[in-house]
Amino acid sequence: MIERVDLWNLVNNILEQERKSREKTAGVKEQEAVKVELSEIAKSRPQPDLSELESKVLEIKAKLERGEYKVEPEKIFEGLSKYLSSSDR
């Protein structure tokens, strides 16, 4: 018959081995590197000026805080249509 202390030690050993195994696989995943290279087309595109976008975002945030922002589905649809039709897909 297995004594309670032996059973406890057995369970603790199994749990410790499982923990070490998880740490080892997590360490391997963290070490995996991904290399990303931009195409020449992407490199040649001009960088967008985000100042106008930032001001629009700040304006919308202020309206949301005041409860004055009105969602206009038509404008959302127009913007998405314009974006999707102009993309290089």
Side-chain angles (χ1 to χ4, degrees), residues 18-32:
E18 182 66 26
R19 183 186 63 77
K20 286 180 181 178
S21 174
R22 286 186 185 152
E23 287 176 355
K24 186 184 288 186
T25 57
V28 169
K29 288 180 183 177
E30 289 176 7
Q31 293 176 359
E32 292 178 9

Side-chain angles (χ1 to χ4, degrees), residues 2-59:
I2 299 176
E3 291 184 28
R4 180 174 250 156
V5 174
D6 291 338
L7 186 58
W8 183 254
N9 287 335
L10 180 64
V11 169
N12 281 336
N13 286 337
I14 291 171
L15 292 174
E16 182 66 20
Q17 287 176 354
E18 182 66 26
R19 183 186 63 77
K20 286 180 181 178
S21 174
R22 286 186 185 152
E23 287 176 355
K24 186 184 288 186
T25 57
V28 169
K29 288 180 183 177
E30 289 176 7
Q31 293 176 359
E32 292 178 9
V34 176
K35 185 176 182 181
V36 177
E37 293 183 24
L38 295 176
S39 68
E40 291 303 317
I41 294 171
K43 289 178 185 177
S44 67
R45 288 189 175 182
Q47 295 296 318
D49 179 20
L50 300 179
S51 60
E52 183 179 332
L53 180 61
E54 288 177 28
S55 64
K56 286 182 181 181
V57 168
L58 291 174
E59 180 183 336

